[in-house]
């Protein structure tokens, strides 16, 4: 289990994995943060494919091709906006990780990288978000031998140190 989980610090668009996860918004039509970076790196064909999908509710996931990325696929998931934790945010964040992993499995994806969903402009507390992310991925890996590697790709120092102190 341990060697199937990895923490790195860097730009998720540069990773050579089967799929990267995008922390998108419900329109799937691009935005700031990691979403903007992924659309810029993948090119305009990604937006064209996203326009054929009728958005995505919070907690769910949708898959597209990766176009100019090294990653063959992008899995778009929509994290919850943190509103004092009173609106099912923890459950919805768990759903993001879980549904992305299920979709990856259905598409025979063996290596994936997650950004720290909802911890940017959506303001989910970073430590709590990391606990949910790590717990959910571990639960998935326990019953899924085909998933070879799950990378937590942290962009900011604070997230990196939270993940690194938890899983190394
Ligand atoms: P959200 O709306 O889900 O909060 P953001 O994109 O604002 O999404 O932030 C989610 C996380 O993605 C933040 O921790 C932010 O530091 C990180 N991030 C921003 N750009 C990148 C990138 N190029 N690669 C990986 N992570 C990134």
């Amino acid at each position: 289990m341990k060697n199937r989980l990895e923490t790195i610090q860097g730009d998720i668009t540069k990773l050579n994995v089967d799929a990267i996860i995008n922390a998108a918004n419900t329109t799937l039509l691009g935005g700031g943060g990691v979403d903007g970076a992924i659309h810029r790196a993948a090119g305009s064909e990604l937006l064209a494919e996203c326009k054929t999908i009728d958005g995505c509710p919070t907690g769910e996931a949708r898959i597209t091709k990766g176009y100019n990325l090294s990653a063959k696929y992008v899995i778009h998931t929509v994290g919850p906006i943190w509103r004092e934790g009173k609106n099912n945010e923890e459950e919805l964040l768990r759903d993001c990780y879980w549904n992305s992993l299920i979709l990856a499995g259905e598409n025979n994806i063996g290596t994936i990288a997650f950004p720290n969903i909802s911890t940017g402009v959506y303001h989910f507390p970073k430590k709590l978000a990391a606990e949910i992310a790590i717990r959910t991925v571990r639960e998935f890996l326990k019953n899924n031998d085909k998933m070879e590697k799950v990378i937590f790709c942290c962009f900011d120092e604070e997230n990196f140190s939270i993940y690194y102190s938890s899983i190394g």
Side-chain angles (χ1 to χ4, degrees):
M1 166 84 80
K2 192 175 187 321
N3 58 7
R4 288 195 286 157
L5 273 183
E6 194 179 326
T7 307
I8 64 160
Q9 187 171 17
D11 179 353
I12 201 166
T13 66
K14 307 278 194 254
L15 298 185
N16 193 6
V17 286
D18 296 338
I20 61 172
I21 312 301
N22 182 16
N25 58 52
T26 54
T27 69
L28 296 189
L29 300 180
V34 70
D35 194 6
I38 289 172
H39 274 273
R40 277 192 300 279
S44 59
E45 285 171 297
L46 177 60
L47 182 58
E49 184 176 353
C50 285
K51 283 180 178 163
T52 70
I53 306 171
D54 190 20
C56 179
T58 303
E60 294 189 18
R62 302 285 185 268
I63 191 165
T64 65
K65 288 188 265 186
Y67 300 99
N68 297 339
L69 296 165
S70 308
K72 190 171 176 205
Y73 298 103
V74 179
I75 294 176
H76 308 261
T77 189
V78 182
I81 299 170
W82 181 260
R83 295 192 182 94
E84 297 172 15
K86 293 173 185 152
N87 293 276
N88 218 21
E89 292 95 324
E90 295 185 40
E91 181 73 24
L92 288 166
L93 187 63
R94 182 198 174 275
D95 291 348
C96 287
Y97 283 91
W98 189 259
N99 289 325
S100 297
L101 290 159
I102 295 286
L103 197 51
E106 286 169 359
N107 286 276
N108 298 312
I109 287 164
T111 56
I112 65 174
F114 281 97
N116 306 130
I117 300 165
S118 284
T119 68
V121 297
Y122 283 3
H123 291 300
F124 205 107
K126 288 179 181 175
K127 200 150 187 297
L128 180 58
E131 282 165 17
I132 293 166
I134 293 166
R135 192 190 323 130
T136 307
V137 170
R138 282 197 171 129
E139 188 189 336
F140 181 86
L141 289 179
K142 218 166 35 188
N143 301 308
N144 287 271
D145 296 337
K146 284 192 192 141
M147 186 63 73
E148 295 156 35
K149 177 80 78 184
V150 177
I151 298 170
F152 293 109
C153 179
C154 304
F155 199 61
D156 57 275
E157 188 64 44
E158 190 186 349
N159 266 315
F160 179 70
S161 63
I162 292 169
Y163 278 83
Y164 195 78
S165 65
S166 177
I167 62 174

